[in-house]
C-alpha cells in the first residue's frame, strides 16, 4: 500500500518518511523467508538489518496501533460503488435485506473509537428514535463484536439501531467500500479536523478489552454469526469475533477502511448516499430522510 511514488510524496508532505509503515518479515507476507540463523535474542546476526525478535508479532502490538496496519483483503472483490437509482446490492451472506416496503438507512462506520464515526452513528441513532417503525436504521461495523459493544456502551447504547458486525469486510466490499489512500485518511482537512475533535474513544475501548480479559487465551468465546449480544439498552450486536491468522487483528477495526451511507426506499432502490469523501466526512443523514419521505419530514 505504501510502495508507489504518489504515496511516498504524500507521506513526505505530512512529514513522515516513506518507510514509516513498512514492517519487515510480516508473517503473512509472500516473500521468501530467510534461512540465515538468528542470534539467541531473536535478531539476525551480522551487518544485516535486524528482523523482528521472536517475541514480537503483529498481534502483540498495542490495540491502538494495530488499526494503522494494512489489513488482509476482504473475501470478495470490491464492487462498484452503488449509485442513486441502482438496486441496493446484496452481500454474500445476506446480512442486509431490502424491499417489501421497508425504508432503510445503512451506515458503514470507520473503526470504533473514531470521533467521526461517533458523530455519524449519533445522527443515525437520532433518526432511528424519531422514526421507529418507519425507517430501519442499520450500522455496519468491521471492528470486533466485543469492541463494537464496548464502544456502544460508552455512547449510551445502540437504542433502535441494528448493528451488524462485518469483521472480514465482505459487506463493505459488496457496497464498493475498500481501503482509502493515504490522502483519504491523512489529507490536511482530515488531519486538522482530527486534532480538533474530542470524541476519540479508541483508548477507552482498548483498555476495557484488555482489562476484561477478552483478549486473553480462554477469554470470551467467539460469537456465532447472527447471534445477538446485549448492549445494555436492549439493542443488540449481530456478528462474530473472527480470529485471523493471515494479517493484523481486526479487533479495533482499521483506520484505512472507507466509510459511507445510503438510503434505500421500500422498493429496494437507492435514493440517496455514497462514499464519504474523506476520513472526516460526516455525511448528512437528514438528506437521506428527506429523500425517503420528501421535504415535509
Amino acid at each position: 500500500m505504501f510502495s508507489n511514488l504518489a504515496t511516498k510524496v504524500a507521506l513526505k508532505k505530512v512529514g513522515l518518511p516513506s518507510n514509516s509503515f513498512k514492517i519487515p518479515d510480516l508473517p503473512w507476507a509472500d516473500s521468501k523467508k530467510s534461512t540465515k540463523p538468528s542470534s539467541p535474542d531473536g535478531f539476525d546476526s551480522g551487518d544485516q538489518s535486524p528482523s523482528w525478535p521472536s517475541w514480537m508479532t503483529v498481534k502483540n502490538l498495542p490495540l491502538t496501533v494495530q488499526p494503522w496496519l494494512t489489513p488482509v483483503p476482504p473475501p470478495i472483490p470490491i464492487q462498484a460503488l452503488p449509485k442513486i437509482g441502482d438496486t441496493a446490492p446484496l452481500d454474500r451472506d445476506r446480512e442486509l435485506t431490502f424491499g417489501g416496503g421497508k425504508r432503510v438507512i445503512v451506515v458503514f462506520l470507520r473503526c470504533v473509537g473514531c470521533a467521526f464515526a461517533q458523530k455519524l452513528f449519533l445522527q443515525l441513532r437520532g433518526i432511528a428514535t424519531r422514526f421507529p417503525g418507519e425507517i430501519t436504521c442499520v450500522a455496519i461495523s468491521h471492528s470486533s463484536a466485543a469492541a463494537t459493544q464496548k464502544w456502544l456502551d460508552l455512547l449510551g447504547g445502540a437504542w433502535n439501531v441494528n448493528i451488524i458486525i462485518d469483521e472480514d469486510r465482505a459487506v463493505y466490499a459488496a457496497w464498493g467500500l475498500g481501503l482509502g489512500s493515504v490522502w483519504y485518511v491523512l489529507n490536511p482537512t482530515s488531519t486538522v479536523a482530527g486534532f480538533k475533535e474530542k470524541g476519540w474513544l479508541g483508548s477507552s475501548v482498548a483498555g476495557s478489552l484488555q482489562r476484561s480479559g477478552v483478549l486473553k487465551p480462554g477469554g470470551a468465546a467467539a460469537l456465532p454469526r447472527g447471534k445477538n449480544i446485549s448492549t445494555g439498552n436492549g439493542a443488540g450486536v449481530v456478528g462474530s469475533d473472527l480470529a485471523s491468522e493471515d494479517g493484523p487483528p481486526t479487533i479495533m477495526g482499521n483506520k484505512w477502511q472507507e466509510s459511507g451511507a445510503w438510503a434505500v426506499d421500500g422498493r429496494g432502490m437507492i435514493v440517496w448516499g455514497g462514499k464519504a469523501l474523506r476520513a472526516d466526512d460526516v455525511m448528512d443523514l437528514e438528506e437521506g430522510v428527506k429523500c425517503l419521505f420528501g421535504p415535509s419530514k
Side-chain angles (χ1 to χ4, degrees), residues 82-94:
K83 304 182 295 296
I84 294 173
D86 289 350
T87 300
L90 292 176
D91 58 272
R92 179 192 62 181
D93 299 317
R94 301 297 189 267

Side-chain angles (χ1 to χ4, degrees), residues 6-284:
T7 297
K8 292 179 181 178
V9 171
L11 284 170
K12 187 174 181 180
K13 284 184 178 180
V14 297
L16 297 173
S18 60
N19 64 347
S20 294
F21 297 93
K22 182 179 179 182
I23 300 178
D25 299 331
L26 289 175
W28 58 90
D30 237 347
S31 58
K32 185 177 180 181
K33 295 182 185 280
S34 171
T35 56
K36 187 175 181 180
S38 299
S39 61
D41 62 0
F43 289 93
D44 288 333
S45 56
D47 297 327
Q48 301 295 324
S49 298
S51 63
W52 285 53
S54 57
W55 50 266
M56 174 61 83
T57 66
V58 171
K59 291 179 175 61
N60 285 333
L61 292 174
L63 288 183
T64 50
V65 172
Q66 292 173 6
W68 287 103
L69 303 179
T70 306
V72 297
I76 65 170
I78 307 296
Q79 304 300 306
L81 279 167
K83 304 182 295 296
I84 294 173
D86 289 350
T87 300
L90 292 176
D91 58 272
R92 179 192 62 181
D93 299 317
R94 301 297 189 267
E95 297 281 6
L96 290 171
T97 58
F98 304 98
K102 180 174 66 174
R103 301 181 183 94
V104 179
I105 293 180
V106 55
V107 165
F108 291 83
L109 299 169
R110 295 189 74 232
C111 53
V112 297
C114 172
F116 308 124
Q118 175 178 328
K119 284 187 170 183
L120 192 60
F121 176 78
L122 292 179
Q123 266 197 81
L124 184 67
R125 193 173 71 180
I127 291 170
T129 302
R130 282 164 41 210
F131 300 103
E134 296 183 83
I135 300 179
T136 299
C137 293
V138 183
I140 314 291
S141 171
H142 69 286
S143 304
S144 68
T148 303
Q149 177 179 318
K150 180 58 185 178
W151 183 63
L152 291 170
D153 288 344
L154 292 172
L155 295 179
W159 296 11
N160 295 332
V161 178
N162 298 325
I163 309 295
I164 294 175
I165 301 299
D166 181 36
E167 199 167 349
D168 61 4
R169 309 186 333 274
V171 185
Y172 282 79
W175 284 72
L177 298 174
L179 299 182
S181 64
V182 172
W183 186 256
Y184 183 87
V185 178
L186 299 176
N187 65 82
T189 302
S190 296
T191 301
V192 171
F195 280 123
K196 291 180 178 179
E197 287 296 334
K198 305 298 183 183
W200 301 96
L201 297 174
S203 296
S204 298
V205 173
S208 175
L209 294 180
Q210 290 166 332
R211 290 192 301 272
S212 68
V214 168
L215 307 179
K216 298 176 183 177
L223 185 74
R225 182 175 291 276
K227 184 169 181 176
N228 291 328
I229 307 175
S230 172
T231 59
N233 280 9
V237 177
V238 179
S240 61
D241 288 328
L242 303 178
S244 173
E245 299 300 329
D246 299 322
T250 52
I251 295 167
M252 298 288 292
N254 195 271
K255 298 286 187 182
W256 303 105
Q257 178 60 51
E258 294 173 328
S259 60
W262 283 268
V264 182
D265 69 12
R267 303 167 298 163
M269 306 294 291
I270 294 173
V271 296
W272 172 87
K275 181 177 76 172
L277 299 178
R278 305 175 308 275
D280 67 304
D281 181 17
V282 180
M283 302 174 70
D284 185 0

